[in-house]
Amino acid sequence: MSGIEPYFKINGGRRLEGEVTIGGAKNAAVAVIPASILAGAPCRLENLPKIEDVYTLKDILSSMGADVDFSPDRGMNIDPREIDNFSVTFDMASSLRASYYFLGSLLGRYGHAEIALPGGCSIGSRPIDQHIKGMRALGADVVIERGIVKAKAKKLVGSEIYLDIVSVGATINIMLAACRAEGTTTINNAAKEPHVVETANFLNMMGASVKGAGTDVIRINGTNELHGCTYSIIPDQIEAGTFMIAAAATRGDVIIKNVIPTHLEAICAKLMECGVSVTQGDDGREFFIHIKSDSRPRAVNIKTLPYPGFPTDLQQPMMALLCTARGNSFIVENIFEERFNHVAELRRMGANITLNGRTAMVEGIDTLVGVPLRATDLRAGAALIIAALMAEGESTISNIRYVDRGYEYFEYKLRALGADIQRMG
Ligand code: EPZ
């Protein structure tokens, strides 16, 4: 292994046991941080996860002229009153997809935005045509020149918008711009993910009028006046699901604390179908999910769908678990057209996986073997870490900068549960 890029070294075959506490939700944080400039007054965000994407967004806000300070235990203070630069450059946008939320927030607050086409995980083409359709519907002129989305509007006017595809990003981005539009905007066929609801709650805390978030019709009454606020981010349902799957994959006994059970219904149901013991409770302060397993999981079939269906972000971790299931599992990835990049790496560990378009057939084998691995995207990295925890022998996982984008203190939390994992290099 080259000593330059950090990598994980994992000795597999150990049960995860104990308790883990879930941090703030990445996909809520990356929406609420850009949204904070809509107020034109200072905001304070708490329970943000200590992940690379949050630091990148802090740097983007600073490059615009905002006054931002962030520390994981004290939260993020954002004062947008000195913003005088309405652009996000390619090198800033290339590492994270959520940079596109500055399109809606800058357009909503200043009537002007120049945002480099977003980066993020290579899991498909990931166009932003629905975002642009929404901004144009609100009256903005939008062109794409040399990879930069340039949008401007003298005035945004509320509109009836129908999304051609259920899109989390487009739903949130249009909500942001519509908050400052004149009149009412309706978003039909809206995404219902928890982070859509979270962003709407944050906007309403700032004095916006967003109704219906969490359903497929969201109505926004634009307003001229938004004020600052203090807001605490919800727990990350994908981090929680990742630890639930890791506990089941290592035949472990783990309590996952600080969760919102309604956000985890699909993954709880699927793990119970696998024969894993899943119980939930609350200790008087917070909800928890208790995962116990002492045998190979049963094979199951998975179809990823928009919320409340099975989340695409847990498809890859679940595939790792199913590599040693009893029987054949079929996984259909309905959201992204190229979200099987982890399959080649799992095969090198001995997994028996056949791909046919958007369907993967996973024939369960007795055990995986540890080998050198490379993460190709954030959730593929999580899947490979789970596979390495399950495998016999030592694995190394390179490209872990992907993992650092979305999981805070990941190796520390896993080590506290008994995993033999070290960050090297
Ligand atoms: C968000 O991505 C999340 N990222 C993704 O999480 C998540 O997998 C995805 O929603 C689905 O839940 C963030 O929130 C930062 P979409 P997003 O727009 O907004 C197509 C992770 O691992 N589409 O709901 O990009 C698109 O190509 C990341 O945390 C268009 O065609 O997802 C995809 O096939 C990965 N045109 C489908 O819609 C558009 O204008 C759903 O995409 C927009 C999207």
Side-chain angles (χ1 to χ4, degrees):
M1 294 301 298
S2 82
I4 303 167
E5 277 290 304
Y7 61 97
F8 284 141
K9 185 168 77 169
I10 296 173
N11 278 305
R14 299 160 67 113
R15 296 185 79 219
L16 296 185
E17 294 179 307
E19 295 184 354
V20 61
T21 297
I22 299 304
K26 161 179 114 56
N27 290 341
V30 299
V32 167
I33 293 171
S36 66
I37 67 176
L38 282 165
C43 279
R44 175 175 170 62
L45 302 176
E46 297 174 342
N47 197 36
L48 290 173
K50 183 180 181 297
I51 56 175
E52 286 307 311
D53 278 7
V54 168
Y55 287 101
T56 303
L57 289 169
K58 171 183 174 293
D59 294 343
I60 292 175
L61 280 173
S62 301
S63 74
M64 291 175 174
D67 182 16
V68 194
D69 68 65
F70 171 56
S71 77
D73 51 356
R74 289 198 314 278
M76 183 181 280
N77 295 302
I78 302 165
D79 183 346
R81 287 175 291 191
E82 302 300 318
I83 287 180
D84 57 4
N85 168 18
F86 310 129
S87 66
V88 178
T89 59
F90 176 75
D91 61 343
M92 285 257 176
S94 56
S95 71
L96 87 159
R97 181 150 183 82
S99 49
Y100 55 34
Y101 289 136
F102 285 108
L103 179 63
S105 58
L106 286 169
L107 199 57
R109 174 87 178 82
Y110 303 100
H112 179 195
E114 295 202 357
I115 313 293
L117 284 169
C121 291
S122 55
I123 50 179
S125 59
R126 305 185 82 178
I128 61 166
D129 58 302
Q130 298 300 301
H131 299 239
I132 291 170
K133 169 182 175 177
M135 302 307 154
R136 285 176 173 153
L138 295 172
D141 290 326
V142 185
V143 294
I144 299 182
E145 285 171 3
R146 303 168 62 82
I148 306 279
V149 182
K150 297 181 177 179
K152 58 179 184 295
K154 283 197 182 49
K155 184 170 71 170
L156 294 176
V157 179
S159 174
E160 184 88 25
I161 298 166
Y162 186 89
L163 293 181
D164 301 334
I165 186 166
V166 176
S167 160
V168 168
T171 300
I172 291 175
N173 226 347
I174 295 165
M175 256 187 347
L176 300 184
C179 277
R180 300 298 298 263
E182 189 178 272
T184 300
T185 297
T186 304
I187 305 173
N188 299 289
N189 200 22
K192 299 183 269 195
E193 271 68 6
H195 29 292
V196 173
V197 178
E198 185 72 352
T199 306
N201 291 343
F202 173 66
L203 293 169
N204 288 336
M205 284 279 280
M206 290 200 289
S209 167
V210 183
K211 295 182 172 41
T215 74
D216 51 8
V217 179
I218 300 177
R219 190 153 287 116
I220 304 106
N221 296 311
T223 169
N224 249 339
E225 272 311 299
L226 291 180
H227 49 75
C229 70
T230 294
Y231 196 79
S232 184
I233 300 287
I234 51 169
D236 192 319
Q237 81 273 15
I238 303 301
E239 184 194 13
T242 304
F243 276 100
M244 290 165 64
I245 294 166
T250 57
R251 322 273 191 272
D253 181 347
V254 177
I255 292 180
I256 294 102
K257 300 172 73 174
N258 189 34
V259 297
I260 299 176
T262 46
H263 294 167
L264 298 167
E265 284 174 358
I267 182 63
C268 285
K270 203 43 79 173
L271 287 175
M272 284 191 275
E273 213 182 309
C274 288
V276 174
S277 162
V278 182
T279 49
Q280 64 176 280
D282 84 59
D283 60 10
R285 278 182 338 109
E286 58 196 3
F287 287 102
F288 64 82
I289 299 272
H290 185 184
I291 298 290
K292 275 180 81 172
S293 171
D294 51 16
S295 61
R296 287 172 62 180
R298 280 195 293 269
V300 293
N301 297 329
I302 291 173
K303 289 182 174 59
T304 65
L305 287 169
Y307 190 87
F310 190 90
T312 174
D313 295 346
L314 291 177
Q315 175 262 107
Q316 295 154 294
M318 267 306 279
M319 189 184 288
L321 166 74
L322 295 173
C323 284
T324 61
R326 282 176 279 118
N328 298 344
S329 303
F330 289 85
I331 298 175
V332 183
E333 173 51 68
N334 291 309
I335 306 295
F336 291 106
E337 68 271 25
E338 281 172 33
R339 201 165 196 169
F340 287 145
N341 295 328
H342 52 298
V343 169
E345 298 297 293
L346 292 173
R347 283 175 177 150
R348 293 178 46 241
M349 302 178 83
N352 192 343
I353 303 168
T354 310
L355 292 181
N356 178 8
R358 290 189 177 221
T359 299
M361 183 181 77
V362 184
E363 292 183 60
I365 59 171
D366 284 349
T367 181
L368 297 172
V369 290
V371 296
L373 298 159
R374 278 173 52 81
T376 50
D377 57 77
L378 166 57
R379 307 303 175 181
L384 296 181
I385 288 169
I386 291 171
L389 292 172
M390 296 158 61
E392 265 176 15
E394 181 183 289
S395 298
T396 56
I397 301 175
S398 60
N399 272 359
I400 56 175
R401 66 182 184 286
Y402 287 116
V403 178
D404 292 340
R405 282 193 44 217
Y407 290 96
E408 66 168 8
Y409 309 117
F410 203 13
E411 71 266 29
Y412 300 102
K413 291 184 176 182
L414 286 169
R415 244 197 323 270
L417 291 172
D420 178 355
I421 176 171
Q422 300 294 329
R423 181 181 290 255
M424 315 291 286

